[in-house]
Amino acid sequence: MKLILSDRPLPLELSGHPDVVCVDLTRLKIANCVGCFGCWTKTPGRCVIRDDAVKVYPLIAQSDTVLYVSRIKYGGYDTVMKTMLERAIPVQQAFIRIVNGETHHVQRSVAPKDAVILAYGASDEEERALFRQLIARNAHNMNFQSHRVLFCKEDQVQDLVQKEVAKWGIS
């Protein structure tokens, strides 16, 4: 499955492509993670908060190709994307594994992913470098087998998304 997770509406024509799912996070009600770790202890693999996030993190886990579209804020994901990614911790277990000499959580049936992160709104090269570093660190915990970070201006987002989706055989 291919997943587009976006912090803004994207007018894409995906009919005829049931293996592609586009999630506009702005249309969903997603509460902040409260850090209770119930998804690891009380209800393993399921967040105890019952909102729209419970429909999204299984899609993240199942996808083998992901396109994240997010504004950059202070060198990281903007609020709606950051909130969703924090709420996706049920796809990980409380147990630790060693990856390249570092400790990372064991994944809970998470497909290895080829990821493209399309970031817009960076104010300068320092912010872009900080975001690249964040993505490289997250890649281990998000089960990325490969990843690319693309930067653009806000008015270029739609065109760049179209180009990336065209690589999937969707015009």
Side-chain angles (χ1 to χ4, degrees):
M1 179 177 74
K2 294 174 179 18
L3 174 66
I4 303 167
L5 197 61
S6 179
D7 70 352
R8 58 186 282 163
L10 295 171
L12 296 171
E13 178 52 51
L14 299 175
S15 61
H17 300 280
D19 62 327
V20 179
V21 176
C22 184
V23 178
D24 174 3
L25 295 173
T26 64
R27 296 185 175 272
L28 305 179
K29 293 198 183 312
I30 301 173
N32 291 321
C33 178
V34 296
C36 69
F37 298 109
C39 59
W40 287 348
T41 58
K42 186 176 181 181
T43 57
R46 290 184 46 229
C47 183
V48 297
I49 302 171
R50 308 314 291 166
D51 62 8
D52 291 332
V54 301
K55 295 181 254 179
V56 179
Y57 64 74
L59 297 173
I60 296 171
Q62 296 165 11
S63 63
D64 56 15
T65 304
V66 293
L67 172 60
Y68 293 106
V69 179
S70 180
R71 177 182 305 280
I72 297 177
K73 193 166 196 170
Y74 309 119
Y77 294 107
D78 202 354
T79 307
V80 68
M81 183 67 73
K82 185 174 188 312
T83 301
M84 182 60 242
L85 294 177
E86 288 173 350
R87 286 290 304 287
I89 67 168
V91 305
Q92 299 176 350
Q93 298 180 33
F95 307 107
I96 301 295
R97 63 190 168 115
I98 305 294
V99 177
N100 299 327
E102 299 176 345
T103 57
H104 295 277
H105 287 280
V106 174
Q107 304 293 302
R108 189 185 308 275
S109 300
V110 176
K113 296 169 186 356
D114 294 315
V116 174
I117 300 87
L118 193 153
Y120 63 95
S123 60
D124 57 26
E125 184 52 42
E126 182 180 14
E127 190 169 37
R128 286 190 277 285
L130 187 59
F131 189 72
R132 279 188 209 96
Q133 184 179 12
L134 170 69
I135 300 306
R137 301 300 306 147
N138 287 165
H140 298 301
N141 284 329
M142 297 169 82
N143 215 20
F144 293 170
Q145 61 187 5
S146 71
H147 68 277
R148 291 183 294 128
V149 181
L150 306 174
F151 295 100
C152 68
K153 294 179 181 172
E154 189 164 358
D155 63 352
Q156 298 170 318
V157 170
Q158 184 64 33
D159 288 340
L160 205 47
V161 167
Q162 291 286 4
K163 287 177 184 173
E164 287 302 311
V165 171
K167 293 175 184 177
W168 302 347
I170 300 169
S171 53

